[in-house]
Amino acid sequence: MSQQSRDPGHRTHLRRGAVGVAGILFFVLSAQAPLTGIVGTLPVPLGLGNGGGAPAAYLVVGAVIAVFAVGFITMSRHVTDAGAFYTYVTRGLGGTVGVGASQTALLCYGATQAGMYGLYGVVVKGLAVQYLSVDLPWWVWAVATMALVQILGSLNIELGAKLLAFLVVAESSLLVAFAIHEFVTGSGPQGLNLTGSFAPSAFLAGAPGVALTFAIASMIGFESAAIYAEEARNPTRTVPRATYLSVVVISVFFSFVSWMVVSHHGADRVQDVARAALRDGDATSVVLAPVTDTLGPWATDTMAVLLASSLLAGILAFHNAINRYLHSLGSTGVLPARLSHTNRHGAPHVAGLTQTVLALCMVVPFAVAGADPVVTLLTWGGGVAVLSLLVLYILTSLSIVAFFRRTRLDTRPWHTLVAPSLSVLLLLGVMVMAIANFPTLISASGGTALLLELGVLLVFVGGLALGAVRGGRLGGGRRTDGRETEPAPPEVHSSL
């Protein structure tokens, strides 16, 4: 039964044709929060990972994700829905596993956003003290921004795309200016030293698993291009182009900028520099100092402001992504139908309000406990998100193989069998490394790491239980007799 017949008198459709390749690309790039990824997290793989070889990790992960994207994009040409991972897994492995994937996706994006709120609160608190002489707790700024994000998420998606475009360009421009200057002038004491960062021996030095894990974290959100398929202009062209562009841009950007940071310090010295900064609690200096040396003192204050805008852009991007997951789950009957309601702008406003409440529930306990929002909320959220994302990638790759073996809508071996199968093997290898290095990733004890790992498992199992009860109502899943159910939302296309 369609959503409209179950819930007459309410808008449930997202606004179609509202956003193009560029708009979706900026939604994806803003989720990466490039400035946050470079300034906030790069010092860890430099100091605790493979040192000067860290830039290569971004290219390796980019290649792995590109293999995954082959099947992912092929699937997107036939299935169009805001549920993305949830929808794809449902089509391939059935409603029960699909709902398990949906809850894992909500955990992944929710944990990432909550972590961003923690760092954002700290950054804005510092700016307010410095420039306004106003000293409020970090969580006050985080909660106030939740209200702002709720308003922005309820408006026209085109407005959100334009705002994110502005913020992404602003935060990236300073890093790009620094990197280009370093590249043109020959950089630091050892010059550009290509082999010091990209030779196999450099990549495999130290603990490359740490660097790979952080590189995976930098890719969270690339797949959100498919989330906007219902709102895209010509989705069978727009989503694939935006997805491939995002993979290339993200991996090349992080690799190039991190290479210039390494070159500025020297490939042989950067690990010692990063370790000292981490030990002294001044990790951001690993990047801020080179940028200031290169561009001048004005860059330090500018980067502090842009770091706040970077986090705001990422928070808004994940807010929109989670909204559309909740909208899809409401449309298919897994969650209450009210979540599928849209306003006059075509935005899922009920799902948006629900998402804001969930964000509040994830942030408030850390505020009440008086926990350090960076050491706990940011790092724990990032670790949970990485594990959840890897689970989703693996399930989606398996689903792609199953879907095309069953439907025969596309019979190209590389796109529907070889690439998805290869991505499963590669991603399993990355997951083993992520679990092995999880305490380092979250900067916590082995006991805390185990609890968070079990939390990801419990959310997935809980989703399976919910799917066992509600999954039979999903369209396009596999019935217990193995036959395909009647097509229902999400929309399925039979041709390219």
Side-chain angles (χ1 to χ4, degrees):
M1 184 180 297
S2 70
Q3 171 61 30
Q4 286 178 310
S5 61
R6 285 189 289 111
D7 199 12
H10 291 282
R11 293 187 180 93
T12 60
H13 291 300
L14 299 171
R15 187 180 175 192
R16 297 183 183 276
V19 63
V21 174
I24 292 177
L25 181 62
F26 281 116
F27 273 115
V28 173
L29 294 181
S30 61
Q32 268 66 49
L35 189 60
T36 305
I38 293 293
V39 176
T41 64
L42 178 61
V44 179
L46 289 178
L48 305 180
N50 53 355
Y58 294 104
L59 296 183
V60 171
V61 167
V64 172
I65 299 302
V67 173
F68 166 79
V70 172
F72 184 78
I73 288 171
T74 303
M75 189 77 156
S76 75
R77 296 181 183 276
H78 300 278
V79 180
T80 302
D81 182 75
F85 285 139
Y86 152 60
T87 305
Y88 293 4
V89 174
T90 295
R91 291 290 178 179
L93 301 180
T96 298
V97 183
V99 176
S102 75
Q103 304 310 296
T104 307
L106 290 174
L107 175 64
C108 175
Y109 295 145
T112 303
Q113 188 196 50
M116 285 183 165
Y117 270 122
L119 181 57
Y120 174 86
V122 171
V123 171
V124 175
K125 171 184 165 67
L127 292 173
V129 170
Q130 181 177 355
Y131 294 108
L132 303 176
S133 298
V134 175
D135 190 3
L136 295 174
W138 67 269
W139 56 265
V140 172
W141 299 108
V143 172
T145 302
M146 288 180 192
L148 173 63
V149 169
Q150 169 61 29
I151 294 171
L152 292 174
S154 298
L155 298 177
N156 192 313
I157 191 175
E158 293 166 294
L159 175 63
K162 291 175 182 177
L163 174 62
L164 291 178
F166 172 77
L167 294 177
V168 169
V169 170
E171 69 176 281
S172 302
S173 58
L174 206 60
L175 291 174
V176 171
F178 156 75
I180 291 177
H181 181 277
E182 291 290 298
F183 184 80
V184 171
T185 59
S187 196
Q190 298 175 324
L192 297 178
N193 195 3
L194 187 66
T195 58
S197 288
F198 297 103
S201 58
F203 169 68
L204 295 174
V210 173
L212 286 174
T213 301
F214 275 83
I216 283 286
S218 73
M219 297 295 295
I220 292 176
F222 101 89
E223 71 290 335
S224 60
I227 293 175
Y228 300 100
E230 285 190 77
E231 298 159 276
R233 304 184 194 109
N234 193 355
T236 57
R237 293 179 181 271
T238 301
V239 172
R241 289 175 181 175
T243 302
Y244 275 131
L245 271 174
S246 66
V247 173
V248 172
V249 170
I250 294 165
S251 59
V252 171
F253 174 85
F254 276 90
S255 181
F256 179 57
V257 175
S258 62
W259 178 33
M260 292 302 100
V261 172
V262 169
S263 296
H264 183 91
H265 291 290
D268 294 339
R269 295 181 56 251
V270 70
Q271 189 160 44
D272 291 335
V273 171
R275 282 176 176 171
L278 290 168
R279 185 176 58 250
D280 296 339
D282 188 25
T284 58
S285 65
V286 177
V287 177
L288 292 180
V291 173
T292 302
D293 291 344
T294 300
L295 302 180
W298 64 271
T300 302
D301 290 339
T302 303
M303 287 189 75
V305 174
L306 291 178
L307 182 57
S309 70
S310 168
L311 289 161
L312 177 60
I315 288 168
L316 180 58
F318 281 108
H319 177 83
N320 285 331
I322 296 169
N323 288 356
R324 281 148 183 83
Y325 259 95
L326 292 173
H327 174 275
S328 181
L329 290 167
S331 297
T332 52
V334 175
L335 294 180
R338 283 182 58 82
L339 290 171
S340 66
H341 292 178
T342 55
N343 60 18
R344 61 188 180 88
H345 298 292
H349 64 295
V350 178
L353 182 59
T354 303
Q355 197 281 310
T356 299
V357 172
L358 291 174
L360 194 64
C361 291
M362 296 184 78
V363 170
V364 166
F366 288 86
V368 172
D372 186 310
V374 176
V375 175
T376 57
L377 186 55
L378 176 65
T379 57
W380 295 4
V384 166
V386 167
L387 287 186
S388 301
L389 186 67
L390 289 170
V391 170
L392 291 168
Y393 283 166
I394 292 169
L395 286 175
T396 302
S397 294
L398 293 172
S399 300
I400 291 165
V401 174
F403 175 79
F404 287 109
R405 291 307 93 189
R406 187 169 66 252
T407 65
R408 311 301 295 178
L409 290 173
D410 191 324
T411 57
R412 293 174 294 176
W414 169 249
H415 294 75
T416 62
L417 178 61
V418 178
S421 300
L422 179 60
S423 73
V424 170
L425 297 177
L426 293 172
L427 290 165
L428 283 172
V430 174
M431 176 171 278
V432 170
M433 290 185 179
I435 293 174
N437 293 281
F438 200 64
T440 300
L441 178 63
I442 64 170
S443 301
S445 65
T448 300
L450 180 60
L451 287 176
L452 293 178
E453 290 166 349
L454 290 175
V456 175
L457 178 62
L458 288 175
V459 168
F460 176 63
V461 172
L464 292 179
L466 178 62
V469 176
R470 310 298 293 273
R473 301 174 62 179
L474 302 179
R478 198 181 333 188
R479 302 195 316 193
T480 54
D481 59 6
R483 292 185 292 153
E484 199 81 16
T485 61
E486 289 299 316
E491 182 179 354
V492 177
H493 304 280
S494 60
S495 67
L496 299 179

